[in-house]
Amino acid sequence: MRLPDEPHRRRRRSRGWAAAAGVAAAAGLAAPMAVSASVTAAQPQEFAYVANSNSDNVSVINTSTNTVVTTVDVGDNPFGVAVTPNGASVYVTNLASDDVSVINTSTNTVITTVDVGDNPLNVAITPNGALAYVTNSIANNVSVINTSTNTVVATVDVGDGPFGVAITPDGAFAYVTNSNSDNVSVINTTTNTVVGDPIDVGDIPNGVAITPNGAFAYVTNSNSDNVSVINTSTNTVVATVDVGADPGGVAITPNGALAYVGNRAANNVSVINTTTNTVVGDPIDVGAEPQGVAITSNGSRVYVGNRNSDNVSVIDTTTNTVIATVAVGVAPLGVAVGRVEITPTPTPTPTPRRPGARNNNNNNNG
């Protein structure tokens, strides 16, 4: 199996507030003020999580500022990454340690590690957040993780060299690219069994993404330099789109209009119009060997991990130009974007203090 240069191994209420205010008002005095903290409600913020395969960590990028806000150590040679729909957890496959690190996004720490099959590459999570599907490329199967218990609840045999995985928006099916058998397996997520015959695609299929309406799956074929478009109702290939050299990662905009494909050997990104299944405009030059591709929830930005330049290119989807380049760890591969609930740091606000109360901060000299 050919891998893309596979890595080397309170709010708090003051009880006396109302009484103190009342006393001050009755005395015709303004209530003295003390400082207390007010807590602002949690606000969702969007972050890009980047698996750095040769530095064994994950860079967390704030998409508002395009800066790395923290780095999280994970397992050996992290490859794929996925964020739960509620933004609470990030699942990272560790290729060389045959396991998955689970990151708590509130603390950006690994809370557990789940053993899976041999050489796990990519991971996808069901829309209800209940299950994570992990492709084990050497074991030729898929591990199914229950995200509540973080235990493997099923193992599904698929084709030879499973690589990419994507789940339909209704959560009913998982599509798995088999890089060594040049086809795609479809898993029923209720029974965790393969349904129907494998779907023949191009040579060495890698990435896969499904349109938001669930109608089509887009599969990158790295040795054919093209993308197979599968009709998910019939599970047949209905179109083949030529792109750049050695296509790998693929992601589709939230409105379903465009698919962005990272061409690893060409160091650029092709943009496919999903209505006409044609490439629109010129390829977008990015860093060296673009691998992972992810899109923000509003569809305005595309984040591309460039394995051989140790950075992430940020593409504006309005102009299809790179507007920022973010330095990350060594050999970034998988990229995922998720919205996380962040509770702001409490800010001081004036709170009335009981009249006549001693200021404990004053020194008592006599």
Side-chain angles (χ1 to χ4, degrees):
M1 182 183 85
R2 179 187 178 278
L3 295 180
D5 277 352
E6 177 177 323
H8 304 295
R9 308 265 332 155
R10 74 198 207 210
R11 181 174 309 188
R12 191 168 76 185
R13 184 183 301 273
S14 172
R15 291 187 176 181
W17 191 93
V23 169
L29 301 173
M33 306 301 283
V35 174
S36 66
S38 68
V39 179
T40 305
Q43 299 294 326
Q45 294 182 22
E46 203 152 53
F47 296 90
Y49 297 84
V50 183
N52 304 306
S53 62
N54 284 4
S55 52
D56 297 340
N57 56 28
V58 171
S59 297
V60 183
I61 300 172
N62 183 320
T63 62
S64 296
T65 60
N66 284 323
T67 56
V68 173
V69 295
T70 193
T71 301
V72 185
D73 291 334
V74 289
D76 194 2
N77 292 142
F79 194 100
V81 57
V83 185
T84 54
N86 65 2
S89 302
V90 174
Y91 284 70
V92 182
T93 60
N94 301 305
L95 179 150
S97 50
D98 297 339
D99 55 25
V100 172
S101 298
V102 183
I103 298 172
N104 179 312
T105 58
S106 295
T107 60
N108 280 319
T109 56
V110 172
I111 57 173
T112 193
T113 303
V114 185
D115 290 334
V116 290
D118 196 2
N119 220 59
L121 294 184
N122 285 291
V123 54
I125 299 171
T126 53
N128 65 1
L131 300 171
Y133 285 72
V134 177
T135 57
N136 303 306
S137 60
I138 291 181
N140 296 333
N141 58 29
V142 172
S143 295
V144 184
I145 299 172
N146 180 315
T147 59
S148 295
T149 61
N150 283 320
T151 56
V152 173
V153 293
T155 302
V156 186
D157 291 333
V158 288
D160 189 5
F163 194 104
V165 56
I167 298 171
T168 53
D170 62 2
F173 299 100
Y175 282 69
V176 177
T177 60
N178 301 305
S179 60
N180 290 345
S181 51
D182 298 338
N183 56 28
V184 173
S185 297
V186 182
I187 298 172
N188 181 314
T189 59
T190 300
T191 60
N192 282 321
T193 56
V194 171
V195 295
D197 295 327
I199 306 163
D200 291 333
V201 289
D203 191 12
I204 309 188
N206 280 190
V208 56
I210 297 174
T211 53
N213 63 3
F216 300 99
Y218 283 70
V219 176
T220 59
N221 304 302
S222 64
N223 267 21
S224 303
D225 299 339
N226 59 25
V227 173
S228 297
V229 184
I230 298 172
N231 182 316
T232 58
S233 296
T234 59
N235 281 332
T236 56
V237 174
V238 294
T240 301
V241 185
D242 290 333
V243 288
D246 192 18
V250 55
I252 299 172
T253 52
N255 64 3
L258 301 171
Y260 285 74
V261 178
N263 303 307
R264 293 176 297 220
N267 299 333
N268 59 29
V269 171
S270 296
V271 185
I272 299 173
N273 179 314
T274 59
T275 300
T276 60
N277 282 321
T278 56
V279 171
V280 295
D282 295 326
I284 306 164
D285 291 333
V286 289
E289 195 175 331
Q291 170 69 21
V293 181
I295 301 176
T296 55
S297 60
N298 64 6
S300 66
R301 302 285 187 268
V302 181
Y303 285 74
V304 182
N306 303 306
R307 185 188 187 281
N308 282 351
S309 52
D310 300 338
N311 58 26
V312 171
S313 298
V314 184
I315 298 171
D316 184 321
T317 58
T318 302
T319 60
N320 279 332
T321 57
V322 174
I323 59 169
T325 301
V326 185
V328 289
V330 183
L333 292 177
V335 181
V337 173
R339 293 178 69 80
V340 179
E341 294 288 336
I342 300 296
T343 301
T345 302
T347 55
T349 57
T351 302
R353 186 172 61 229
R354 178 170 53 83
R358 293 187 64 175
N359 185 347
N360 293 328
N361 292 326
N362 292 336
N363 291 327
N364 184 356
N365 294 321

